[in-house]
Amino acid sequence: MENRWFKNAVIYCVDVDTFRDGNGDGIGDFVGLRQALSYLAGLGVTCIWLLPFYNSPDRDNGYDIMDYLSVHPHLGDLGDFAAFMSEANDRGMRVIIDLVVNHTSDQHPWFQAARRNDPKYYGYYVWRKDDPGDTSAQAVFPGKQSGVWEFDKLAKAYYFHRFYSYQPDLNTGNPAVRDEIKKVMGFWLALGVSGFRVDAAPFVIAYKGPDAEKQPHESFDYLEEFREFLRWKTGDAILVAEANIAPDQILNYFGERGQRMTMVINFFVNPHLFLAIAEQSPEPIERALRQLPQIPILSHWAYFVRNHDELDLSRLSQSEREICFRAFGPKPTMQIYQRGIRRRLAPMLGGRLDLQLLLYSLIFTIPGTPILWYGEEIGMGEDLNQAERNSVRTPMQWTADMNAGFSTADPSSLVRPVVDKGAFSYRKVNVQVQRRDPNSLLNYLERMIRTRKEYPEFSTGTYRVLETSEPTKIFAHSCQDENGNAVIAAHNLTEGSIKVVIKLWEKTFDHFIHLFDERPNEKIKKAEIDLELPAFGFSWLRLRQKKQL
Ligand code: TEU
Ligand code: CA
């Protein structure tokens, strides 16, 4: 089988302005990121995903772009970007970037021209003259957004905005807009990126305009058009869709031959992982996985535990959502948009290392590519004093020194304050202390990443959920490649330690090894494996056949 790099990738998501400040002005930048590359390589990261770093008024953490072909002056310039790219490549790391083309900033020159009725640009956006009435039900950010149409005095018309009102939607149905998008893609591909995370993919391809809610219509052919363009420019670049979609929509995004999105970020399994922890049961995970369709052979899932946005619980039922709110975000200030939790993982889990590792083990063993949000590898906490989702976007905690080692600037001029109180203060939670502790989250994750890379069956194999003697407590699955190599991962979703018998699906295996420790081979009798799993513990095993001795 052809080598598909993205299937064995470990993606690490970085927000440049909060990762590392290279010039001491209080804002992270490309020089700082470049200095941190050895750290990322050491962790085992193979692909860096950069959140938007383009010139922007920065009202939505850079997702409001005013120049797609630029680097935000606070972060450096194109030369710094190129220097970062080549050093990442020297260390064998690829880079993917955010492609935010559902909307621009209202400060983008296209929008400024459109408002002035410039015939070239007016049609880049979506307008209506009549009063739209109440459209609050269509808003993506309930409570922060009153509707999806905003009146513009210059244009004397309403413009459509699925997100914040300062983010006018691009009219992606307009071929001229699609040409602009290709120009943006071509530019960054020429600078060496390996692909794009397609922001808000369902909205990019949705019908936009009056009665958008009554005419739900998606143009999946745009996705194909972008993929075609990508393939033509570079053979192995990828498109990763940010698409929080129902299971019955999934194949539309991949395309029946895998001709659309290379990967789709799995927003469906994600909340079920949290529900499983809250209910101490494997059932939600098994149920969610059962609802996923078989995806094309060239396609792949991307999995995450937490990301830069809220933990979105909208795919759960009302009562399941309540269970998760109670377990992980009981205070109103922890909740957002009536559907989510604006916290980082470690504090949601009361700082428990076992639970954090259990969740990472799940996303490292269910076939798909894991994505880590920066700071997760050390269990950073959030700052609920920050507005909306900025709570989970505080500076990376490198050391116990001033500003967490993020910047040498005066603390008052940091892009965002560092977390300096409580159990997750940078004085306690930082890269430096965890490096020295062999049992730290950082060191566990590094081992987990290394092991996963050594056993590519986890990402490329076909998986099956296994029968066990403890179906209400243990989630066990196998991944097997076409040569018969097989691995197993077993997860204990409960608080007590458990002895379990795992049933194998065939009789040819005669012994197994534990992937995380030095225990000798163990024999397999009667196509069954006896395991003991500590509370919330997990095991990764490699099965062997006689001939492989
Ligand atoms: O999010 C797009 C999006 O659809 C979000 O509403 C998402 O579904 C929600 O947060 C639940 O997961 C992207 C970015 O990730 C987000 O930070 C931006 O604010 C948004 O686009 C607008 O550009
Ligand atoms: Ca800086």
Side-chain angles (χ1 to χ4, degrees), residues 34-142:
R34 186 149 54 88
Q35 291 161 354
L37 283 170
S38 298
Y39 166 73
L40 296 180
L43 181 58
V45 170
T46 65
C47 179
I48 298 168
W49 154 24
L50 299 177
L51 290 195
F53 53 82
Y54 319 97
N55 202 1
S56 156
D58 254 336
R59 297 177 68 185
D60 181 20
N61 203 38
Y63 281 92
D64 46 333
I65 296 170
M66 54 192 266
D67 183 357
Y68 288 103
L69 307 179
S70 69
V71 169
H72 196 299
H74 290 160
L75 310 183
D77 58 24
L78 283 171
D80 298 316
F81 178 86
F84 152 74
M85 276 300 308
S86 66
E87 279 203 32
N89 292 161
D90 285 348
R91 289 172 173 81
M93 285 187 280
R94 293 175 181 264
V95 176
I96 61 174
I97 62 176
D98 240 282
L99 184 68
V100 188
V101 293
N102 178 66
H103 47 265
T104 65
S105 160
D106 59 2
Q107 300 307 306
H108 196 293
W110 298 340
F111 187 69
Q112 290 302 322
R115 316 172 55 199
R116 294 182 166 81
N117 283 296
D118 181 325
K120 175 157 185 226
Y121 292 108
Y122 190 81
Y124 273 38
Y125 295 89
V126 183
W127 303 94
R128 76 190 283 169
K129 297 272 181 193
D130 59 322
D131 183 345
D134 179 9
T135 58
S136 54
Q138 294 173 60
V140 174
F141 303 125

Side-chain angles (χ1 to χ4, degrees), residues 314-327:
S314 57
R315 296 277 160 207
L316 300 180
S317 72
Q318 175 71 31
S319 60
E320 293 171 338
R321 202 158 35 244
E322 290 306 324
I323 291 171
C324 288
F325 276 137
R326 230 174 295 137

Side-chain angles (χ1 to χ4, degrees), residues 15-33 35 53 58 61 72-76 395-396 403 406-416:
D15 208 353
V16 181
D17 68 350
T18 50
F19 198 59
R20 200 178 179 114
D21 177 13
N23 66 355
D25 66 354
I27 306 173
D29 48 44
F30 277 103
V31 171
L33 178 55
Q35 291 161 354
F53 53 82
D58 254 336
N61 203 38
H72 196 299
H74 290 160
L75 310 183
M396 178 67 179
N403 299 332
F406 158 72
S407 171
T408 55
D410 186 85
S412 63
S413 56
L414 292 194
V415 60
R416 233 165 254 145

Side-chain angles (χ1 to χ4, degrees), residues 60 63 100 103 140-141 163-164 167 197 199-200 203 242 244 267 307-310 312 339 389 393:
D60 181 20
Y63 281 92
V100 188
H103 47 265
V140 174
F141 303 125
F163 295 91
Y164 297 102
Q167 289 167 322
R197 172 222 185 233
D199 183 55
F203 299 115
E242 188 225 10
N244 187 344
F267 281 89
N307 63 12
H308 64 292
D309 288 331
E310 77 280 14
D312 186 342
R339 61 162 181 254
R389 299 162 299 173
R393 301 166 181 168

Side-chain angles (χ1 to χ4, degrees), residues 102 126-128 130 138 148-149 160-162 169-174 200-222 253:
N102 178 66
V126 183
W127 303 94
R128 76 190 283 169
D130 59 322
Q138 294 173 60
V148 296
W149 292 96
F160 184 71
H161 61 91
R162 179 61 77 175
D169 268 47
L170 278 168
N171 178 7
T172 40
N174 178 344
F203 299 115
V204 172
I205 61 172
Y207 166 80
K208 305 177 182 205
D211 297 330
E213 80 283 13
K214 288 194 206 122
Q215 304 184 37
H217 166 69
E218 288 111 357
S219 301
F220 291 104
D221 47 321
Y222 302 169
Y253 283 80

